[in-house]
Amino acid sequence: MIFRQLFDSVSCTYTYLLAARSGAEALIIDPVLDKLDRYLKLIEELDVKLVKALDTHVHADHITGLGALRDRTHCITVMGEQSDVDVVSMRAADGDHIDIEGLRLTALYTPGHTDDSYCFLMHDRVFTGDTLFIRGTGRTDFQNGDPRAQYDSIFNKLLTLPDDTLVYPGHDYKGDTVSTIAEERAHNPRLQVKSVEQYVEIMTNLDLADPKMMDVAVPANLRIGLSQEEIEARGWSLTAREALQLSGSEELILVDLRDVSERKRHGIIRGSVHAPYTELDDNLKPGGLLQTLAAQTHKRLVFYCAYGERSAMAVKSAQDTGLADARHIKGGVDAWKRIDGPLERPSD
Ligand SMILES: [Fe+2]
């Protein structure tokens, strides 16, 4: 496995790059915008293909690299479903799997530092974001933080993981890189409490200054969405209502770009073809699934995904390959649900 722990010395943030092997799909956790060029170079050097970029929560101390990585690599951006971020491509809920080739992360909803904080478990290790640090815990005094919720997330979720689970935090200010669940349970000073009240008392009396970047970082991090307006201005969008009226017609083929896990959880639009976004390049090549389908049927391809972000990128790629009829559903399944569009269970 390729596992890289990268450090941003300005915000003391750890970013993690993961891939099953050289040549395989890769995923990045908590990228920092200022380090974009470093990540892109490393991705090239390691010969991996970045397909997913995720943030453990909306950060207050640095600007996320999610939007820029999406623009440069066309990767899928992932955050928890509680995040107020305008548009991310894919939203995770507690227990959801985030898969890339050969690797699986499980999302653990761990509110407390913020109300949108997640940890991600992968085999023998857990990425704890700002929920649990090495010998510390993330502050709970802004962004709807809640020390009670954090106590519950730490004691009733993280500390129930096997003792030897490796702990990889979102920050470290002292130079530590990794710990274990057993080590933190025994030696983390914030966890040596007898009750939730005692924990709340510690956390409410920390008296910390606001992070320097907070006024800039939080608003910037809430707006990382791709401009679907640009795609709309080119006439490549259908509203969910227009798509509903056209669905079932013989003139179009609906193409679902989401992952299997999203299809299972939210359902699919009847009659749609599944062509995951991560395989889009291959599917749009001459002889690829979508190119062949369009050529043989002379039908219009209408892409959809969860929020319209992946499908907006897909419609642009399709247009670039000459599929001038291609469209996408603005706002994706989220918009489709809002107008009570019917969804059914996938067979896969
Ligand atoms: Fe944070």
Side-chain angles (χ1 to χ4, degrees):
M1 179 175 66
I2 292 172
F3 176 84
R4 293 298 162 94
Q5 183 179 35
L6 303 154
F7 188 60
D8 171 46
S9 55
V10 177
S11 59
C12 293
T13 301
Y14 281 130
T15 300
Y16 300 93
L17 180 70
L18 318 170
R21 54 180 169 75
S22 174
E25 294 178 351
L27 175 150
I28 197 165
I29 300 175
D30 285 336
V32 176
L33 181 61
D34 287 346
K35 290 282 183 279
L36 190 75
D37 290 340
R38 169 80 185 112
Y39 307 145
L40 292 172
K41 187 153 186 288
L42 185 61
I43 285 163
E44 196 187 316
E45 288 165 351
L46 296 173
D47 186 29
V48 291
K49 183 185 180 219
L50 186 70
V51 295
K52 283 178 185 162
L54 59 97
D55 267 356
T56 50
H57 62 290
V58 173
H59 298 285
D61 55 1
H62 67 266
I63 297 179
T64 175
L66 246 54
L69 280 171
R70 182 240 2 247
D71 294 345
R72 296 285 289 275
T73 69
H74 291 178
C75 67
I76 297 171
T77 50
V78 188
M79 285 192 77
E81 62 180 6
Q82 291 80 0
S83 288
D84 261 340
V85 172
D86 58 353
V87 184
V88 289
S89 316
M90 184 175 167
R91 287 182 184 269
D94 188 52
D96 276 0
H97 292 144
I98 292 134
D99 292 320
I100 61 166
E101 188 183 353
L103 292 178
R104 164 165 285 181
L105 268 62
T106 303
L108 306 175
Y109 181 44
T110 52
H113 169 60
T114 63
D115 60 356
D116 71 337
S117 288
Y118 273 76
C119 296
F120 294 94
L121 182 65
M122 185 179 77
H123 310 302
D124 61 345
R125 60 200 67 196
V126 62
F127 302 96
T128 55
D130 293 4
T131 301
L132 178 63
F133 295 144
I134 299 171
R135 311 298 190 263
T137 58
R139 61 194 297 178
T140 55
D141 55 339
F142 52 71
Q143 292 181 281
N144 299 319
D146 177 352
R148 257 170 214 284
Q150 192 176 49
Y151 178 93
D152 186 55
S153 295
I154 294 172
F155 281 85
N156 299 324
K157 250 185 189 151
L158 293 178
L159 294 190
T160 64
L161 295 171
D163 277 359
D164 55 356
T165 307
L166 298 168
V167 171
Y168 284 100
H171 292 285
D172 191 87
Y173 305 93
K174 310 173 299 294
D176 289 315
T177 53
V178 61
S179 178
T180 65
I181 288 294
E183 210 179 302
E184 291 313 305
R185 186 191 293 113
H187 304 295
N188 189 319
R190 298 238 176 113
L191 307 188
Q192 311 310 309
V193 290
K194 297 212 163 44
S195 64
V196 59
E197 278 72 28
Q198 206 183 341
Y199 187 75
V200 171
E201 163 123 20
I202 293 175
M203 296 309 286
T204 44
N205 291 309
L206 291 178
D207 208 19
L208 300 166
D210 282 349
K212 286 186 220 79
M213 287 282 285
M214 186 162 154
D215 295 339
V216 183
V218 173
N221 289 341
L222 290 173
R223 284 191 311 272
I224 55 170
L226 176 83
S227 178
Q228 289 189 42
E229 278 67 38
E230 190 193 316
I231 299 296
E232 190 174 14
R234 296 189 187 196
W236 297 343
S237 291
L238 297 174
T239 63
R241 200 164 292 287
E242 286 166 341
L244 181 59
Q245 281 157 5
L246 290 170
S247 69
S249 99
E250 290 295 299
E251 286 150 39
L252 57 89
I253 298 173
L254 284 160
V255 180
D256 184 358
L257 297 165
R258 295 170 303 161
D259 281 6
V260 170
S261 61
E262 298 173 277
R263 286 160 59 83
K264 276 195 187 131
R265 193 149 83 88
H266 297 282
I268 65 167
I269 300 177
R270 175 183 285 266
S272 51
V273 175
H274 185 210
Y277 179 78
T278 49
E279 295 164 20
L280 186 71
D281 290 351
D282 282 344
N283 287 335
L284 284 176
K285 275 183 193 155
L289 171 78
L290 295 174
Q291 210 58 256
T292 307
L293 206 57
Q296 286 179 350
T297 63
H298 302 289
K299 290 183 183 180
R300 156 174 297 188
L301 299 183
V302 178
F303 295 99
Y304 74 94
C305 60
Y307 297 94
E309 176 146 313
R310 275 168 280 181
S311 57
M313 292 194 283
V315 81
K316 187 161 185 313
S317 300
Q319 293 278 345
D320 289 346
T321 68
L323 296 174
D325 274 350
R327 298 289 182 272
H328 89 122
I329 302 179
K330 193 185 176 199
V333 167
D334 184 54
W336 180 266
K337 279 185 185 168
R338 285 172 208 268
I339 58 155
D340 294 320
L343 291 164
E344 59 182 39
R345 281 181 160 280
S347 53
D348 54 17

